[in-house]
Amino acid sequence: MAKIIPFKAVRPAPDKVGLVSCRMYDDYSPAELAAWLNFNPYSFLHVINPAYANAQRITSDKRFKAVTLKYNDFKNEKIVFQEEKPVFYLYEIQTKTNSFTGIIAGTSIEDYQNDVIKKHEDTLQYRVELFKDYLHQTGFNTEPVLITYPDSTEINTFIAIHKKSKPIYEFSTTNKEKHTLWKIDTETEINLLIDHFASIPNLYIADGHHRSASAELLYEQDKASGNPNLNYFMSFLIAESNVKIYEFNRVVRDLNGHTQEDFIKLVAKNFVITDKQSELFQPKNKYEFGMYLNGNFYALQYKHKESTKGILENLDAQILYDTVLNPILGLEDLRNDERIDYLPGKQSILHMKEMIDEEEFKVGFMLYPSDINEIKLLADNNLIMPPKSTYIEPKFRSGLLIYEL
């Protein structure tokens, strides 16, 4: 049974929330980052990446200490403050195309270790270690793990009723999103939510596998301190029907020594290939792939879907790896090989076309997005998706809520 707890978040002063909260650091181009840091003294970017101009030249230890100092500056200057008592939050994000609503709470390290909270992605140990060190030295985290739960009539009703109350934040951002945050602070409401989630047998990590793994590693390292906050990590809990799953498309820099003609012949062993010429083709169904090569789009229909039996082997990203990326293009380590790169499916296919037309890459592949049932099936069977199989929304804003350790 899933355990959630309220927590004493640190959050921005209401008159500054739109200025403080920011997208995740990696989401900014260098020019955008420079502009925000130069012209917005309240941006949480100042905290998570202080001395950004020297970021490549200072050690992680010095950088983490600088983060801590800047975070304390924000607290001392009353830019952010801490709640007086533990609470839950209800959070809504409205984008141009979607609306997402979920509960922000502390989720249990014990549940994570006992597979009540299930995973579907592998992690890189060096990244887990690095973020664990970050958490240990800075003492806070502002990016919750995105976790899905089975749709619940009771939780949906609770959310609908609570949305009628007055929010503590309501603001818009420069990327045309609207953000609304409500506080859930009465004993009755808190206990009701705890009871609702206690009846749910499993939760599923959608995004944030490295953050949750780092939280577990920190717990194991520092649990002797007796700090109860180490027993939990901040999560954004959202109904599985309310997440938006995009594919990650692939672009590869060369054909691994093959001519175009030979490459297409090798691909045709496993796929029915239809030349779409200049049509901006994207797959519409599972087992269907798109390919862009030398100015032409192609539709690739997998020939062997009836004989594919394994859960992992049925995944489109795995099929592409097993039939094309590994045996033909010679790609083995999809995380670290510099010959391959990944483009979120929410980006226009024209971006991929432009990269290949400008000869930065040689060939591109478009995939059909996985669905939540595929992800859950893999997690339930302790199977791991190939790297960059899914791009999942919503994305949380840094500096909106902070979990102190």
Side-chain angles (χ1 to χ4, degrees):
M1 301 303 177
K3 182 178 181 180
I4 65 169
I5 63 160
F7 64 100
K8 294 171 66 174
V10 173
R11 58 185 177 89
D15 65 314
K16 296 181 179 67
V17 61
L19 295 169
V20 173
S21 71
C22 58
R23 307 196 306 273
M24 289 186 291
Y25 168 74
D26 291 341
D27 200 30
Y28 291 88
S29 68
E32 281 184 298
L33 181 61
W36 279 106
L37 291 171
N38 285 335
F39 298 107
N40 180 6
Y42 297 114
S43 174
F44 207 73
L45 289 168
H46 287 285
V47 175
I48 58 179
N49 200 47
Y52 73 99
N54 299 314
Q56 300 302 319
R57 297 193 292 273
I58 64 174
T59 64
S60 296
D61 185 61
K62 287 183 178 179
R63 180 173 173 264
F64 297 160
K65 287 179 180 177
V67 169
T68 305
L69 289 172
K70 195 63 181 177
Y71 177 59
N72 288 332
D73 286 345
F74 267 47
K75 292 176 73 175
N76 293 333
E77 294 170 14
K78 310 299 183 185
I79 298 171
V80 297
F81 70 97
Q82 188 165 36
E83 296 282 4
E84 294 181 356
K85 66 176 186 177
V87 299
F88 290 125
Y89 298 92
L90 176 64
Y91 181 38
E92 180 184 70
I93 306 170
Q94 292 181 7
T95 71
K96 288 178 283 187
T97 55
N98 296 292
S99 179
F100 307 99
T101 305
I103 306 293
I104 301 166
T107 46
S108 167
I109 292 288
E110 184 180 8
D111 283 353
Y112 178 85
Q113 293 176 325
N114 294 336
D115 214 27
V116 173
I117 299 175
K118 292 180 175 285
K119 314 96 181 168
H120 70 267
E121 284 186 8
D122 206 353
T123 55
L124 295 173
Q125 190 60 28
Y126 82 90
R127 284 185 59 190
V128 173
E129 292 273 359
L130 183 64
F131 194 64
K132 181 266 294 180
D133 291 341
Y134 170 90
L135 295 173
H136 176 74
Q137 292 195 47
T138 65
F140 74 88
N141 178 35
T142 185
E143 294 180 5
V145 176
L146 182 66
I147 291 182
T148 66
Y149 59 84
D151 283 66
S152 161
T153 301
E154 292 81 7
I155 296 176
N156 288 343
T157 300
F158 176 92
I159 289 173
I161 292 172
H162 201 79
K163 274 188 176 182
K164 296 177 181 178
S165 64
K166 184 178 179 180
I168 57 173
Y169 296 145
E170 190 171 18
F171 63 100
S172 295
T173 57
T174 53
N175 59 343
K176 298 183 178 179
E177 293 180 350
K178 181 182 178 184
H179 299 260
T180 310
L181 189 77
W182 294 263
K183 188 158 62 172
I184 302 169
D185 58 356
T186 69
E187 185 176 354
T188 300
E189 290 177 312
I190 287 172
N191 289 333
L192 190 62
L193 270 185
I194 290 172
D195 289 344
H196 283 326
F197 278 92
S199 68
I200 296 174
N202 290 111
L203 304 174
Y204 294 81
I205 296 176
D207 189 24
H209 286 79
H210 283 89
R211 295 191 291 277
S212 52
S214 297
E216 180 197 20
L217 200 61
L218 181 69
Y219 166 78
E220 293 295 343
Q221 173 184 291
D222 293 348
K223 61 184 177 182
S225 68
N227 179 359
N229 291 348
L230 294 173
N231 298 333
Y232 300 88
F233 55 91
M234 182 169 65
S235 293
F236 184 22
L237 300 146
I238 189 167
E240 59 188 36
S241 66
N242 196 207
V243 296
K244 177 66 176 176
I245 303 174
Y246 296 91
E247 71 282 8
F248 263 108
N249 296 319
R250 281 92 163 102
V251 284
V252 183
R253 296 187 187 278
D254 58 69
L255 297 183
N256 196 31
H258 299 293
T259 65
Q260 178 175 320
E261 182 181 0
D262 288 343
F263 174 70
I264 290 177
K265 285 180 180 178
L266 290 169
V267 173
K269 291 181 180 180
N270 289 295
F271 297 90
V272 176
I273 302 177
T274 304
D275 189 346
K276 295 291 186 176
Q277 299 181 2
S278 60
E279 178 187 340
L280 296 175
F281 176 78
Q282 289 183 272
K284 302 294 190 297
N285 299 287
K286 184 172 171 57
Y287 301 118
E288 187 176 53
F289 302 81
M291 182 172 74
Y292 183 67
L293 175 65
N294 195 25
N296 274 26
F297 284 91
Y298 299 86
L300 311 180
Q301 188 68 46
Y302 187 51
K303 292 179 180 179
H304 313 298
K305 58 184 179 182
E306 300 301 330
S307 61
T308 303
K309 297 179 181 179
I311 298 169
L312 184 59
E313 290 77 12
N314 259 305
L315 196 67
D316 281 3
Q318 188 68 38
I319 289 170
L320 185 67
Y321 176 78
D322 289 340
T323 58
V324 179
L325 298 182
N326 178 242
I328 302 175
L329 293 177
L331 294 162
E332 294 185 6
D333 185 353
L334 295 184
R335 288 188 180 276
N336 299 306
D337 198 317
E338 294 182 354
R339 294 173 55 224
I340 188 169
D341 206 348
Y342 304 89
L343 305 175
K346 64 179 297 184
Q347 286 186 358
S348 169
I349 201 68
L350 289 171
H351 181 55
M352 173 191 285
K353 181 180 185 300
E354 181 180 321
M355 296 172 75
I356 295 171
D357 289 346
E358 293 180 353
E359 300 184 354
E360 183 181 355
F361 294 89
K362 185 67 176 179
V363 62
F365 300 95
M366 294 77 81
L367 285 76
Y368 185 72
S370 296
D371 62 29
I372 191 66
N373 292 321
E374 277 189 316
I375 292 173
K376 290 175 65 176
L377 188 61
L378 286 161
D380 287 340
N381 286 275
N382 297 312
L383 296 171
I384 300 300
M385 278 185 154
K388 298 291 186 181
S389 292
T390 56
Y391 178 90
I392 300 179
E393 288 187 336
K395 300 295 185 185
F396 202 84
R397 289 182 73 80
S398 293
L400 183 61
L401 291 173
I402 301 160
Y403 183 87
E404 288 197 338
L405 298 163

